[in-house]
Each structure stands twice: as structure tokens, then as C-alpha cells.
Amino acid sequence: MSNDAKSLLVQGYEVVIGFETHTQLTTQSKIFSRASTAFGAAPNTQASAVDFALPGALPVMNKGAVQRAIEFGLAVNAHIAEQSVFARKNYFYPDLPKGYQISQFEIPVVQGGRVEFFLGDEKKSVRLVRAHLEEDAGKSLHEDFIGLSGIDLNRAGTPLLEIVTEPDMRSSAEAVAYARELHKIVTWIGICDGNMQEGSFRCDANVSVRKPGAPLGTRREIKNLNSFKFMQQAMDYEIRWQIGQLEDGHAIQQATVLFNADTGETRAMRSKEDAADYRYFPDPDLPPLMIGRDWVERVRSEMTELPRVMAQRFVADYGLPTYDAGQLTQSKPIAAYFEAVALASKQPKLASNWVMGELSRRLNAEEKSIEVSGISAHQLAVLIGRIADNTISNNAAKQVFEALWTGEGKDVDALIEAKGLNQMNGADELEKIIDEVLAANSKNVEEVRAGNSKAFNALVGQAMKATKGRANPAQVNDLLKKKLA
Amino acid sequence: MALTSQDIARVANLARLELRPDETAHTLQQLNGFFTLVQQMGAVNTDGVEPLAHPAAVLGEVALRLRDDIASETNQREASQVSAPAVERGLFLVPKVIE
Amino acid sequence: MSSNIRHTPHADLHDLGVAQLAAKLASREVSSVEVTQHFLARIQQYDSLGAFLATNAEVSLAQARAADARLAAGERSPLLGVPLAHKDVFVTRDFATTAGSKMLEGYRSPFDATVVSKLGVAAGGAGMVTLGKLNCDEFAMGSGSDNSAYKPVHNPWDTCRVPGGSSGGSAAAVAARLVPAATGTDTGGSIRQPASLTGITGIKPTYGRCSRYGMVAFASSLDQAGPMAHSALDCALLLSAMAGPDLDRDSTSLDLPATDYAMNLIAACEQKKDATPLKGLKIGLPTQFFGTGCSPDVLAAVRAALAEFEKLGATLVDVSLPLTELSIPVYYVIAPAEASSNLSRFDGVRYGHRAAHYTDLTDMYKKSRSEGFGDEATRRIMIGTYVLSHGYYDAYYLKAQKIRRLIAQDFQKAFTQCDVIAGPVSPTVAWKIGEKSDDPVASYLADIYTLSSSLAGLPGMSVPAGFGAYGMPVGLQLIGNYFKEAQLLGTAHQFQLATDWHERTPGAMT
């Protein structure tokens, strides 16, 4: 387990990081109301009586949010609670219309589980404590109003799955790798759109440092890290800051801090100071959430194959190197494209090379996603087939690829024909050409006989030239050797 | 155990209530009277008894009803803000929120 | 109040109950507009009772005309065109909703409570005309209706006395015949106790029987709506329209088909025309309900009523509800805990009272809430916040919820020995206004007979059973097992066929 793994020390301190991630679920409607969850509507136009917390309004639970929680739980091998309880977290804040947030406290819907990923070539495994369903708050807008804030409740009631880890991570790099893997999982299974700019995937990092072997240090929570870049910056700054404090003999005070991307610094929040006592109690408006085993099994049977599992299968079934398998399962469309090519061409390794090589190079160059690739999986499969059956050389294949990409042609074999790229395997035709080459280069022939290998290579080159590169170099070698023997 | 005026101050702050000094004293005396009544609960043995959060649960399991994920609400901003103390450009206005 | 009311010649209309009015309307003997005008005139005439917080003649008459149109078109349904009024904790589009609090002065809801639309003239509704909104204790917290932020409600039997609470406006209005029927809400006795103290009939159904959607929440796990009217038959007519699942809007609404309680009564009477219609009915008397805590005049009336039930063929058996006294602390921990959270939405941000002067956000919250909430609401928010706060949750809230289960289980034991449970509703008749206002604990103790069934979520009702001290009405409480509203109403109906306590009206009001 990663927390047993030897950890890299910073100035003699061990870094301890735990994550809390708020993932907005991809439901059409809010968790307790029928208002839309679409992003970017005019202020307060996507809020119902429930979201405005009008007198008499009551919550009714969205099945889609529960479904997504189950999918996540299965994706991380967690326990799905047969019975979980919604509780009220009581505190006053203008973007919290009811004066309490409906969340899960004592009994969350997803319990335990782990997220596994590679940090370089080291396998890491971060244990999850829980993942619970809750409602998002609205937004306080501070611009435009002097001395005032404007409250927009469009986001209020958007379903969230809050995913909480054990303090298992030992470096900012490992924490970011965890966050990337988690992001990959929730987007892969489609429970979250992963849009970090719009706040669909928000991370809070609990950071503390300690001397090796010492008990856990006091942690500070960095809130709302919604870019992987800032995530790393914020944690590195926080780690340095905490070590600096300790080195100067100051104790760390538990605090919630915000990261300022402009200054690259973290600073403690001034609000929510006295909100420590949330007075949680089971929400009397909502009976316990019951999830039958049959539902869990149905979801399991319908679940899409997870990236980790798919990578293992690519290694086992296609004999790909672990590295290839990992790269090809970075995104669902790439994995699907690869598998289509591999199955059609029966050449998994060639397919992997071409998808990760030529294809991704062209896609990157034109900033295209694989869904709009200039070459279909079928075309690439045929092309690879022609390399495999020695119809064309690798270099010739690149020319065909180019032609397919630019739309010069659609049919692989037609292009090979038109460009006259098929390798000549007919022995007699080749023999005739070689005889001509030998006749025309008697000087070289003598030098070869005198044991000059350079001259032999020159003859090979002449022969290839004469065949316009269509000959199989190996075959040319054999024939020359035979004739000069 | 009796409440202190510090308890009253702490609870009032949690509840976002402002009590005048005379009210605090009065409330303290009334709440202490009330909590002597509440002490009776201690006499009841509740070992192994499940708390009853929903009355119907006495008859057996109550399960949360789940609705299908359909967004059917329309824009109700105007009607919902008729009784709002301060609104501008569709936003509820409050004194600056400090983070 | 609006003053353009033409006094109608139908001077006796107000003595008619819901069923009788419905019959006159169905036969076109009177129009809904005439009935509505008559009651609006009485409401105006007896405004000093303090029963109403809002009326709007134009709105009511428009609804009456709509009902008349449906009657003229030949539509016949048991409540069509009959007027009623709603306790002010039900939100309504057409009238302001204040819940008796300054906090919500002038609040306009963009929607109607489910109960309101089920009873109303709008499509799918029973076609009743709304006469206005009824006064109550602030946020339904109180048992005297003298905790209203606007004005106290007076008991029509003696205007120096309280009508009970929190549905005191509803009770006073029905008792004074200002309305033939009203809605109420009951969290710890707020329908049964005022019904008892004003000599009318009221029923609190099983928790979840009527939708809570659109009721300003006090204690979510206890709040339940119910009808208040002259008789069990009228209550049955109203409850048939009010009850039923509201699966799309209230997660605690029971998924049970609505029954026609009134038809049940009439059918039952057809079958049992003999002198002992209640033969075989076992009525359980909890010894704890008949102790020294109950004043002799009330006990005398209750025992007389029980003797009447025996005459009707019922047998009386003793049962025990050992935790009856504990129901007071248990209720006054749970209800304030839920209330402290339910009332957090009143923060002066989106609606409701906002202080005129404040320094910052926190100050705005504190000033707005302190100015907006009255003493009792403030007291209960303080209690509730305290019992939920760190370090006290287990000792108070959790402990109370455990005893709550024991209380509910005691009832189930009792129901193995009897069909319905009977006893007093209130240990005394109505007290003088202001008598208990400075001793909250004393008034909490007076709820002893109604709290335990509320905690268990059982249906209960109050049936006029005679008079006690100072000639004030006394009610008999009937408690049924879960979902047994029909049996309760049937039992009460048989009693009312044999007695006329429910037909008595306060002399001064005729």
C-alpha cells in the first residue's frame, strides 16, 4: 500500500496528503428538484421552489444520482450500502438557501474502495474512506456590486458525489496523479463531465507535514482546486509554507485556505470560522435510501469496462507491453479505435504502433480528436494488413497513410496500385534486373569478389534503385550473394 | 447540569439570533427550567433501542422514494422573487460575502 | 377587510354543516355566491375574535362563481361550492401566508399547498371556496393561539379565554360558525386540543396521510394536516378530499389510495340501524390518561361520554401507556430540534423580514431573525439548536428518538387489547388569555395527552363530549391505529348520531 511505500522527504519532512473531491453528477435534473442542471443559464432561472427553499417546499430524490453513485462504487471496488441516510448539515451562508445542506454523514452510500494508478512506473493505490451524495450550493457573485454580493441559485441542488480518500499520498506529484486517475474514472464511466473550468470536478487537498515516524501533523485544507496545474502549485507552496512555519518554531493551526493563482500563494479563509458545529441530524423529510442487491447487480452487468481492466486485457489478449496498454486506455475513444484496428487487422502490436505513432502525431499536429480522424479504423486496419503480408514496406505504408489522410484516395489497395508501391516478390523479374545491375557495374563486382563489403552494399543500393524501392531488400541481398558466390 | 450564559451566547450565535442582555437572563432561566424536565429521559433504559426518525418505521422498513431523472421545471424567477427584500438583475443582494 | 358585502337573507346558513350546505347547493336552493357572501359577512361581523389574518372578497366570490358555474353545468360532487378557510401555515397563491409570524408578513407564495389545491376550485380540486387565512400560533408553536405575532384568537364560548392552539383561528372560526369547516395542522395536538377547547370536531390523520407539501414546516417528522368541522361526517367529507399520496412532491407522503371516508360512515349506518351499532368495539382507556393530572370537570365529561359509548355497544378495557409522561420531554426535544433547522431558511435573503439596519452579513442575519421571530419561536430555536449541538446530540436528540420508538411500541401493545384508545384531549378546559404566557413549561405540560400519539404518528381526533368548568366545552380524544381514520370517524359518527354536543354553539354568536 502506498502509505507503506518509502516516501520522498522534503527538507527532511514527510508530506501527507488526503483528497476530498466534489464531482458534479451528469443528471438532467437536480438531486432534490426537477430544475435543470445545465450550466450557464441566466441567474436564478434554473431554480425551483425547492432550490429557492421557499416555505412549504420539500425534497424528492433523483434516481439518476443514486444510479451514478452505484456506478462509481463499483468502479472503485467499494461497498454499496444497502441502507444509507441523508442528514442535514446546518450552517448559515447566503448561497445555502435552506440554512442547511442535505448531505450524508454517518452512513454514506459508497463505503471504502480504492483508486490505483502509476506514478512513473511505480504502482500506487489510494484507499477511499467513502463517497457520499449531497447537494451543491449556489454561487455568490462579488463583482458588479459595491459592498454587496449577488446570489445565484442555479447551481443550488446540483447533485454532487463527494469522494474522500485516506491520507495515503506522500507527494504533490502522487496527489495530482491520483486526481488525474479519479478524473479519468468518473469521466470514463460517464457520471461526471469532468469540466474543471465549470467546476464539475473540484478538489480539496488536506495537506500536512511531519518528521518521518512522527504522528500526523496538523492539516490545512486547500479548497476548490479546479485545475491540475494549480493543484500542484498550491500543494507545493503549502508544503513549503508549512515546513517554513515549523522550522521557524511556529505550530500549524488547522485552517481552510484558498489558492490564489495570480500570486501562487495560499491564504486562510476568513469566513466559516465559527461554522465548526454543523449540528448534523437525519433529515426528517427523507426516509433512508435503500439500494437492493438486484439493483447493484443490474448496474454491474451494464457497466462499461474500466480503463484498468481494459489495459490488463490488452496485455493478456493482444500481448501488448504494459506501457502500450496504459497509453491506449487514456481515453475511451482511443481505446475503441485501437481495438477496432487490432481486431480487423489481426496485428495488435502494429495497430498499437500506428495508433500511438503516426496517427496520434497527425491528430496532435492538427489538434484533432480521434473521433474526427482523417483515417477510419477500417482503413488503418487494411493498411496494416498490407504491411503484414509484405505487400508494401513500412515507408510505402506512410505514403499511403498520407494519401488517405489528405483525402487523395479512400481505398488502400487502389492507392498502392496507383502509386505502384507493392513490393515485387516475383523472383525472375528481380533476377533479370539484378543481372542488368551486375553487368552495368563490373567494377564493383570485382571489388566485391576481392572482399569489399562496401561495394556489395553499393550493388544492393543500385538494385533497389533499379526497382524503384519496390524490391524486398532481404530478397535482393540473397540473390546478389547467390550470384556473386 | 445547568446551562450558563456562555451556553446561551454560543447557541444564539449558532442560530444567528441576537438576544438582549435581559433576554439572555430570562432565556437562561426558562431553558434551565425546561432542561430539568428533560432530565427525566435519563431514567429510561434505551439500550439496544433503534432511534425512530420516521413514524412509519414502527411498522417496518420505510424506503426513500426515487423519482426519474427528468428536468421539467420552467423558469419561475419572477414569481419566486416577488417577496424578496433586495434583488438586482435577477440576483438576491446581500452584504458582501467575505471568503 | 373588504367591506362591499351584501348581507344575504339566508340568516341560518351558517348553522349548517358541510354536508347540509352541499345538499342545498346541489339542489340549487342557494348559490355558492350567496353562501360565500353570507359567511364573509359573518367573518367581518366577528372580526374581533381574531380568527382571520386575511380575507379577500373578490377572490372568494370569483371562486364561488366558478363553483356555481360547475353546479349549473350539472356537476355534482360532495364539496362543490362549500366554503372553508385555511390555517395560515398552508401557502396560497391568492392570499398572503404568514404562519402567524412577522417574519413572513405579506409573503406571497408562487404555489398552493397540495391540500389547498386538492380542496380548491382549480381543475382537479373538490371545488371548495376559500374564505381566507386563519390565525394561529407563530409557526404553529403554541397551545393557546396567543403566540400569533398579529393578534390573539379569542374563544367564542368566552372571549376572555384562549381557543387552544396552534390551530386556534380554525377552531374559533368553526365554533363561531364563521366558516362551516377549516383546515388545521397538528404537530403535538394542534388540531385536537383547539377542537376540544371550542367544542368542534377535528381529526389528525396518520402521519403522511395528507401531503405536507406547501405547509410551512415546524417539525417535519410530526406535522400533519387535517380537517376541523362541526361533525365527524363533515370531517370525513373533507378528509376524503385532502388525503392521498403526493408522491412527486412529498417523500414522506404515504403511498396509500385515498378512501371515501364519508361513504364508509353512511354505509356503516345502513348496516347497523340497531340500538348498539358499536357492538364488539373495544375501547382502551390508558390508566395514565385518567390520573390526578386531569381536572375533575374534564374527567366527568369524558367518563359520561364513555358511558354513552357503552350504551352504543362498545366495551371499555384498561390499557397502559407507561411512557405517557415522558412524551413531554421527548416531544419538546425532537420538535424544537427539527424546528431550529426548518426555520433556518428564514434569513432575510430571499423572502421574509430583513432588518432595516445592520453592519454586515452576520449582523443582517441576527437582526433580521431576532426581529422576525417571536418569543416562543426564538425559545424553541434555542432549545433545538442546543440539543443538536456538539456534545449534546446523543444525550438529548438521539435519546429522545429512542424513547420515541418505545412510545410507539407501547401503542402497538395496547392495540392488541383494543380497537381504539379513548381519553381526554386536554387536562383542563380553555384557560384565560395570558394566563400561561410567562411559563412555557406549564403550557408544555398541558399537551400531555396529545403528544404521545403524535410521536407515534397515529391518527387521533377530538369529539365534543360535553362541558366542564365555566361552561366551557370538553372534547373526547379517540386514538386509532395506523391508517384507521375510517374506524375513528365511524366511531365518532355513531356517538354524534346519539348525542348533540357537536351541534351546540356559543350563545353570543347566534
Side-chain angles (χ1 to χ4, degrees), chain A residues 34 49 52-60 88 90 92-94 97-100 153 277 279-282 284-287, chain C residues 91 107 110-111 212-215 220 248-252 338 341-342 344-345 350-351 361 365 369 385 388-390 393 397:
Chain A
R34 288 175 178 72
F52 283 124
L54 297 184
L58 294 169
V60 180
R88 294 183 179 184
N90 295 279
F92 287 87
Y93 210 66
K98 296 187 295 298
Y100 58 84
L153 297 175
D277 193 341
R279 289 155 288 139
Y280 282 99
F281 73 105
D285 288 331
L286 297 163
Chain C
V91 298
Y107 173 73
F111 63 95
R212 291 190 297 116
Y213 189 79
M215 275 167 54
S220 308
D248 294 345
R249 285 182 294 190
D250 176 0
S251 302
T252 61
E338 294 182 3
S341 179
N342 284 333
S344 291
R345 67 185 57 198
R350 297 163 317 284
Y351 49 78
L361 179 64
Y365 281 142
R369 287 167 59 79
T385 306
L388 289 175
S389 66
H390 184 67
Y393 178 82
Y397 184 77

Side-chain angles (χ1 to χ4, degrees), chain C residues 452-465:
Chain C
S452 52
S453 50
S454 288
L455 287 165
L458 293 165
M461 67 186 297
S462 177
V463 185

Side-chain angles (χ1 to χ4, degrees), chain A residues 209-229:
Chain A
V209 298
R210 65 178 170 185
K211 289 286 184 185
L216 285 175
T218 308
R219 63 187 165 83
R220 303 215 311 166
E221 180 180 26
I222 316 174
K223 276 227 163 289
N224 290 340
L225 295 167
N226 47 16
S227 112
F228 293 119
K229 179 157 147 279

Side-chain angles (χ1 to χ4, degrees), chain A residues 126-165:
Chain A
V126 170
R127 295 167 300 156
L128 299 183
V129 178
R130 62 191 281 164
H132 63 260
L133 286 162
E134 62 181 28
E135 56 182 342
D136 207 342
K139 283 182 178 164
S140 308
L141 308 170
H142 311 307
E143 311 76 26
D144 322 346
F145 303 107
I146 305 105
L148 298 171
S149 294
I151 306 302
D152 175 9
L153 297 175
N154 282 350
R155 195 182 68 177
T158 301
L160 295 177
L161 189 67
E162 180 173 350
I163 302 156
V164 183
T165 75

Side-chain angles (χ1 to χ4, degrees), chain A residues 381-404:
Chain A
V382 174
L383 183 58
I384 286 170
R386 290 293 168 267
I387 300 168
D389 65 16
N390 291 319
T391 306
I392 53 173
S393 67
N394 217 42
N395 290 338
K398 289 198 174 139
Q399 296 176 50
V400 178
F401 183 96
E402 184 62 27
L404 290 166

Side-chain angles (χ1 to χ4, degrees), chain C residues 123-385:
Chain C
M128 298 188 81
V129 174
T130 306
L131 294 172
K133 302 298 286 292
L134 294 159
N135 200 358
C136 58
D137 288 302
E138 181 174 11
F139 291 109
M141 296 173 176
S143 49
S145 298
D146 44 359
N147 287 334
S148 165
Y150 298 94
K151 53 190 174 183
V153 184
H154 301 267
N155 191 319
W157 294 90
D158 175 352
T159 52
C160 305
R161 297 179 180 274
V162 300
S166 67
S167 311
S170 308
V174 172
R177 305 304 193 235
L178 309 188
V179 292
T183 55
T185 64
D186 190 314
T187 304
S190 286
I191 286 175
R192 293 160 287 165
Q193 183 257 19
S196 170
L197 270 45
T198 58
I200 66 163
T201 308
I203 180 167
K204 165 207 148 2
T206 306
Y207 176 82
R209 180 67 91 174
C210 295
S211 172
R212 291 190 297 116
Y213 189 79
M215 275 167 54
V216 178
F218 161 17
S220 308
S221 75
L222 295 154
D223 294 346
Q224 183 53 205
M228 302 169 78
H230 299 183
S231 67
L233 177 60
D234 287 0
C235 285
L237 285 164
L238 283 146
L239 186 58
S240 306
M242 292 168 71
D246 192 14
L247 309 185
D248 294 345
R249 285 182 294 190
D250 176 0
S251 302
T252 61
S253 155
L254 291 166
D255 190 2
L256 297 171
T259 30
D260 187 333
Y261 302 102
M263 282 315 296
N264 291 353
L265 300 199
I266 292 143
C269 302
E270 292 314 312
Q271 292 157 14
K272 316 180 178 169
K273 283 219 171 65
D274 57 291
T276 58
L278 295 182
K279 202 170 203 333
L281 183 81
K282 285 214 207 98
I283 300 178
L285 311 181
T287 49
Q288 295 80 1
F289 281 34
F290 292 82
T292 52
C294 191
S295 67
D297 58 317
V298 171
L299 273 185
V302 168
R303 292 204 181 281
L306 291 169
E308 186 62 38
F309 275 101
E310 280 184 297
K311 276 200 225 134
L312 295 170
T315 54
L316 308 180
V317 297
D318 286 340
V319 296
S320 181
L321 297 172
L323 294 170
T324 298
E325 245 182 82
L326 264 299
S327 65
I328 298 166
V330 168
Y331 174 88
Y332 279 99
V333 164
I334 293 170
E338 294 182 3
S340 70
S341 179
N342 284 333
L343 297 188
S344 291
R345 67 185 57 198
F346 302 103
D347 57 7
V349 174
R350 297 163 317 284
Y351 49 78
H353 177 74
R354 180 185 288 197
H357 309 288
Y358 44 82
T359 57
D360 60 14
L361 179 64
T362 305
D363 193 47
M364 183 194 90
Y365 281 142
K366 292 186 173 180
K367 289 208 162 55
S368 301
R369 287 167 59 79
S370 302
E371 292 170 10
F373 291 129
D375 291 348
E376 187 59 25
T378 301
R379 191 151 44 233
R380 298 200 192 187
I381 292 171
M382 291 290 291
I383 291 171
T385 306

Side-chain angles (χ1 to χ4, degrees), chain C residues 67-84:
Chain C
D68 281 331
R70 282 164 67 174
L71 284 159
E75 181 180 342
R76 293 292 178 269
S77 55
L79 298 169
L80 184 53
V82 178
L84 92 166

Side-chain angles (χ1 to χ4, degrees), chain C residues 88-135:
Chain C
D88 205 30
V89 298
F90 293 93
V91 298
T92 46
R93 274 206 196 83
D94 296 335
F95 302 83
T97 302
T98 69
S101 178
K102 280 271 177 259
M103 181 59 86
L104 276 178
E105 187 158 18
Y107 173 73
R108 299 307 295 246
S109 171
F111 63 95
D112 283 330
T114 296
V115 162
V116 170
S117 31
K118 274 172 162 280
L119 290 171
V121 289
M128 298 188 81
V129 174
T130 306
L131 294 172
K133 302 298 286 292
L134 294 159
N135 200 358

